[in-house]
Amino acid sequence: MTAATEPQSMTFEAEVNQLLQLMIHSLYSNQEIFLRELISNASDACDKLRFEALSNGDLQSQQAALRITISSDEEAGTITVSDNGIGMSREEVVANIGTIAKSGTRNFLESLTGDQKTDAQMIGQFGVGFYSAFVVADKVSLRTRRAGDAAADGVHWESDGASGYTLEAIEKSEPGTDVILSIKDDCKEFLSSWKLRSIIKKYSDHITFPIMMMGEAPPAEEGEEQKSAELEQVNAASALWARSKSEVTDDEYKEFYKQVCHDYEDPLAWTHNRVEGTQEYTTLLYLPKKAPFDLYDAQQQRQGVKLFVQRVFIMDEAEKLMPRYLRFVKGIVDSSDLPLNVSREILQDNKIIDTIRAGSVKKILSMLEGIAEKEPEKYAEFWTEFGRCLKEAPGEDFANKEQVAKLYRFESTETGKLGDMVSLDQYISRMKPGQDKIYYITADSFQAASNSPHLEIFRDKSLEVLLMHDRVDEWMMSYLAEYDGKSFVSIAKGELDLDGVGTAKADDDKNEADKPTDEENESLVKRLKESLGDKTSEVRVSKRLTTSPACVVLGEQEMALHMQQLMKQMGQEMPSTKPVLEINPGHPILRLLDKEPDDEKFGNWSELLLDQAMLADGGQLDDGAGFVKRMNEMFLALHEDS
Ligand code: ADP
Ligand code: MG
């Protein structure tokens, strides 16, 4: 090792620096959380040692006395947080403390708004806990030794939080880590033992390892020698989830959440359950208020549920405990039936885990149902943050499809307002006489959905249509064939049969005479078909339109045009769709077209008709320039006519 004697100086990555500055400023009003963060790290380190000891006999003797010790020295102006947990090797110190190891942190920095209040709230989510030490300290030293390494393999890391840090090899008699903070002049209040105790009680009471502090020395009796003070346990050290619900206050639930799930904000809701019977397990599951920035990042496989076995921490992000569409759920699962040395591989195909997962999913779904019913505003908050995740459910969780669909909310033509959502149950409750289907349309924006020509006949008959404009909607609907026995129908696809469904507004009798006859329609359709050739798969008289001249209709199995567009942009090969062109023969434009004797002009106009219908449906034209050219010709033709 090169730096066995000389301290080695290292500079921070630029991002670390940026992060430190931000942290110091933004945590100004909440400085005390540095202790929570350091205790949480110490506790994680003890958890890791305990877990490693399961498979490494050499470490077994150490795990019995795992604990965290906190002391302050008012004279020296230091606070020390020590643990006898797993410790770190030199490489680990460099990787974990000196660099931005976690991929999320970089993204986090990019996502900052510059508004310190908002940014400060985000800090808690990103596991940047260790650096919070610099909020109160102008120098931080870390002395550590990896459990299992020799005493001579200790490492001393030190930094002023400005430019970089030094590393030095040291002797350390015990494995574990000491973090020594040189407290800033304006933070001296934290040196008070009373203050430290109250912070520990507030944030870290449930930490399962004892947190020890030096007690008061008992007053010396006459003639006796002064007894020295002794270490005493400050925290309750009982796993919060192991207590019964009635004994836990809301504040305790919230604090536990912030500590264990690394969130800065209170949770939106939680559900705490003990299951007894053939299998025994406890779950404490939380809904966060805000979605993490990478929730919809396909690469992101993180999960928020930690697995414990008989109160011993086993693993983070236990992805088998929750389906992917509930990846935002955080909290803990504690099983009494799994072996302590359970590995991720074992979890892959495990009956116990399957049962726990099924039970947890039910709990989450019924909690959501309860919120939706009793606290619609809170539910709306949830839906805005996590609704898109739930929409992944039909493709992933067949068994709970119906129950999840109950939680869906969509905009609809009923209010026609963005943000004004309806549930499927509401939709069904006001279906019109003769209606047995749930009508919807997908588009790439709310505007596009609500202006679609496909809605005309539905508006006319006062039939409600769900306006879906999330990217996942089209995909979701391909898995969600029906709800409550009613099938879903995309109003932009396939033949539409609304005979006997709803009641149309009274027909405008005065136009009845002008309406083209069936024969006239037939000949127009035939002429259009010939003229458009293979640009469409069919031309037919529309049952959908009341005011637009024409629209395109896709096959029932075809992907919506805006989605096809998206897939093409992402480099996917898409067979080019030949839509059906539906016309509204009574429309003045079609009346004019029908009268056009010149075949070439007719051809141009009919292409224009098809192109504008494609555009209205969210498609893109293969030949935009041709469209513009024909459009301009038409303007000129108007001029000629006048
Ligand atoms: P997080 O705890 O979210 O991982 P931190 O910034 O708090 O982020 O800590 C960074 C990393 O430094 C930890 O993941 C851990 O690997 C290491 N670390 C911090 N404190 C300790 C400690 N007391 N013992 C062992 N490792 C630690
Ligand atoms: Mg931490």
Side-chain angles (χ1 to χ4, degrees):
M1 204 173 277
T2 49
T5 47
E6 285 269 293
Q8 185 186 0
S9 291
M10 318 272 264
T11 43
F12 282 132
E13 286 187 86
E15 286 86 355
V16 176
N17 234 313
Q18 196 186 340
L19 195 63
L20 278 170
Q21 289 317 310
L22 178 79
M23 177 116 48
I24 290 166
H25 287 118
S26 55
L27 291 183
Y28 193 74
S29 58
N30 202 6
Q31 293 172 320
E32 64 190 22
I33 65 143
F34 80 92
L35 192 60
R36 174 183 80 188
E37 293 302 326
L38 295 180
I39 289 176
S40 149
N41 286 351
S43 164
D44 288 349
C46 293
D47 271 332
K48 284 179 195 156
L49 185 124
R50 184 146 76 175
F51 183 60
E52 235 172 71
L54 294 172
S55 55
N56 180 347
D58 295 345
L59 298 180
Q60 252 155 33
S61 58
Q62 286 165 32
Q63 61 154 330
L66 286 170
R67 63 183 190 176
I68 300 161
T69 312
I70 295 174
S71 61
S72 69
D73 181 336
E74 298 207 32
E75 238 159 72
T78 58
I79 295 174
T80 303
V81 179
S82 300
D83 66 72
N84 52 1
I86 196 74
M88 281 178 275
S89 67
R90 186 188 182 90
E91 291 70 36
E92 285 168 332
V93 171
V94 174
N96 298 336
I97 308 278
T99 55
I100 300 269
K102 290 178 216 75
S103 60
T105 313
R106 218 175 278 271
N107 296 340
F108 164 64
L109 287 166
E110 281 160 14
S111 70
L112 290 178
T113 61
D115 171 5
Q116 294 206 333
K117 212 165 151 229
T118 332
D119 291 349
Q121 299 213 333
M122 293 181 72
I123 277 181
Q125 295 179 27
F126 290 88
V128 287
F130 176 79
Y131 293 118
S132 64
F134 287 103
V135 172
V136 296
D138 44 27
K139 189 177 85 184
V140 178
S141 306
L142 179 136
R143 297 163 50 82
T144 186
R145 178 183 139 196
R146 183 76 165 76
D149 284 357
D153 291 336
V155 190
H156 180 206
W157 175 100
E158 188 167 295
S159 172
D160 59 3
S163 49
Y165 58 92
T166 57
L167 275 179
E168 193 180 354
I170 52 160
E171 277 276 323
K172 188 171 183 303
S173 54
E174 295 294 326
T177 305
D178 306 330
V179 180
I180 304 143
L181 313 180
S182 299
I183 297 299
K184 291 177 186 170
D185 283 339
D186 56 352
C187 297
K188 295 285 187 209
E189 54 176 317
F190 292 111
L191 291 167
S192 129
S193 156
W194 176 85
K195 176 91 183 170
L196 290 174
R197 278 163 195 260
S198 74
I199 302 172
I200 295 169
K201 277 308 239 188
K202 177 167 170 194
Y203 293 109
S204 311
D205 206 35
H206 67 275
I207 291 281
T208 44
F209 300 98
I211 301 173
M212 311 298 288
M213 284 187 71
M214 205 48 101
E216 297 278 317
E221 303 262 325
E222 275 284 322
E224 274 183 37
E225 221 176 287
Q226 166 79 51
K227 286 206 194 94
S228 55
E230 279 178 15
L231 280 174
E232 58 191 28
Q233 184 169 333
V234 184
N235 62 329
S238 79
L240 176 118
W241 64 88
R243 285 153 58 190
S244 84
K245 270 193 231 186
S246 56
E247 285 169 20
V248 186
T249 66
D250 281 2
D251 280 344
E252 284 175 310
Y253 276 123
K254 289 179 191 166
E255 268 318 317
F256 179 80
Y257 168 75
K258 289 187 199 168
Q259 171 100 38
V260 171
C261 306
H262 301 284
D263 198 346
Y264 194 90
E265 274 190 87
D266 283 343
L268 189 73
W270 60 86
T271 168
H272 181 192
N273 304 282
R274 194 198 316 272
V275 176
E276 275 155 1
T278 40
Q279 262 194 44
E280 281 181 25
Y281 63 90
T282 302
T283 56
L284 174 51
L285 302 170
Y286 289 91
L287 298 179
K289 267 203 182 121
K290 289 268 176 288
F293 66 90
D294 56 355
L295 184 64
Y296 298 108
D297 180 344
Q299 306 301 313
Q300 192 280 103
Q301 296 294 326
R302 245 181 309 128
Q303 293 264 4
V305 180
K306 292 173 200 268
L307 178 65
F308 287 71
V309 172
Q310 294 171 29
R311 299 192 206 172
V312 177
F313 169 77
I314 304 294
M315 70 179 76
D316 265 329
E317 302 172 10
E319 66 273 1
K320 288 290 144 208
L321 288 175
M322 277 288 152
R324 253 191 73 71
Y325 72 94
L326 293 178
R327 59 189 174 277
F328 53 84
V329 172
K330 294 186 174 185
I332 65 101
V333 164
D334 189 343
S335 160
S336 305
D337 306 307
L338 285 167
L340 272 173
N341 61 352
V342 63
S343 67
R344 276 184 205 272
E345 290 67 47
I346 293 179
L347 295 185
Q348 283 302 326
D349 214 356
N350 183 290
K351 287 265 169 336
I352 298 175
I353 288 291
D354 290 350
T355 315
I356 296 179
R357 180 175 56 202
S360 305
V361 169
K362 290 268 179 254
K363 286 291 173 210
I364 294 287
L365 295 182
S366 51
M367 165 165 69
L368 285 169
E369 222 170 281
I371 299 174
E373 224 166 80
K374 292 182 208 105
E375 300 166 280
E377 269 165 35
K378 193 167 173 182
Y379 188 76
E381 225 181 293
F382 163 80
W383 182 252
T384 313
E385 291 293 317
F386 301 107
R388 269 166 64 201
C389 259
L390 287 194
K391 289 178 178 178
E392 295 169 19
E396 192 189 353
D397 187 357
F398 190 79
N400 291 306
K401 213 153 89 164
E402 188 92 358
Q403 210 185 342
V404 180
K406 200 179 179 61
L407 297 166
Y408 288 169
R409 297 292 181 272
F410 302 103
E411 271 100 2
S412 100
T413 49
E414 187 71 16
T415 68
K417 257 176 56 198
L418 186 62
D420 234 335
M421 308 251 194
V422 303
S423 68
L424 295 174
D425 288 330
Q426 270 168 304
Y427 180 99
I428 289 173
S429 73
R430 55 190 182 217
M431 287 194 347
K432 291 287 174 314
Q435 183 182 355
D436 60 355
K437 302 205 162 49
I438 302 173
Y439 297 108
Y440 71 94
I441 184 164
T442 64
D444 62 358
S445 71
F446 173 73
Q447 281 298 328
S450 45
N451 288 330
S452 168
H454 293 284
L455 291 171
E456 289 171 7
I457 187 69
F458 290 87
R459 291 225 159 93
D460 197 49
K461 289 181 161 240
S462 302
L463 292 171
E464 184 170 10
V465 178
L466 300 173
L467 304 170
M468 303 187 181
H469 52 91
D470 251 357
R471 278 186 186 173
V472 299
D473 288 338
E474 176 85 5
W475 179 87
M476 168 188 72
M477 292 313 289
S478 68
Y479 288 93
L480 196 69
E482 55 170 51
Y483 175 75
D484 197 17
K486 319 252 175 328
S487 49
F488 286 99
V489 170
S490 162
I491 65 161
K493 293 180 187 173
E495 297 233 36
L496 192 65
D497 183 8
L498 292 179
D499 285 350
V501 184
T503 34
K505 294 200 183 93
D507 258 344
D508 245 343
D509 285 335
K510 68 177 185 329
N511 286 334
E512 200 63 22
D514 300 344
K515 275 201 177 163
T517 64
D518 285 352
E519 284 105 78
E520 281 172 321
N521 286 348
E522 226 168 88
S523 80
L524 177 59
V525 163
K526 190 155 165 268
R527 205 171 160 206
L528 279 168
K529 243 184 236 176
E530 278 165 11
S531 163
L532 289 170
D534 63 2
K535 293 197 174 72
T536 65
S537 62
E538 199 194 333
V539 179
R540 66 183 176 224
V541 172
S542 183
K543 290 181 179 166
R544 295 173 154 87
L545 301 173
T546 61
T547 48
S548 293
C551 67
V552 289
V553 177
L554 297 172
E556 263 159 46
Q557 303 307 325
E558 269 174 327
M559 197 187 274
L561 289 179
H562 70 277
M563 287 305 288
Q564 296 192 20
Q565 221 55 60
L566 192 74
M567 304 294 269
K568 280 189 202 151
Q569 278 158 16
M570 296 189 324
Q572 293 240 4
E573 282 284 332
M574 292 295 301
S576 60
T577 313
K578 284 194 196 123
V580 173
L581 179 70
E582 287 196 354
I583 56 164
N584 179 4
H587 194 281
I589 290 188
L590 283 127
R591 301 314 323 133
L592 278 174
L593 193 61
D594 200 21
K595 292 197 197 98
E596 177 57 59
D598 182 319
D599 276 342
E600 196 189 323
K601 276 190 185 162
F602 182 90
N604 274 340
W605 299 164
S606 51
E607 270 190 52
L608 207 49
L609 193 70
L610 175 63
D611 284 352
Q612 54 95 6
M614 290 284 277
L615 285 177
D617 204 36
Q620 253 176 40
L621 305 179
D622 291 336
D623 178 17
F627 172 74
V628 172
K629 187 163 156 266
R630 285 189 285 277
M631 185 82 166
N632 291 340
E633 277 168 15
M634 197 177 75
F635 278 136
L636 289 174
L638 278 176
H639 180 71
E640 279 163 23
D641 289 349
S642 62

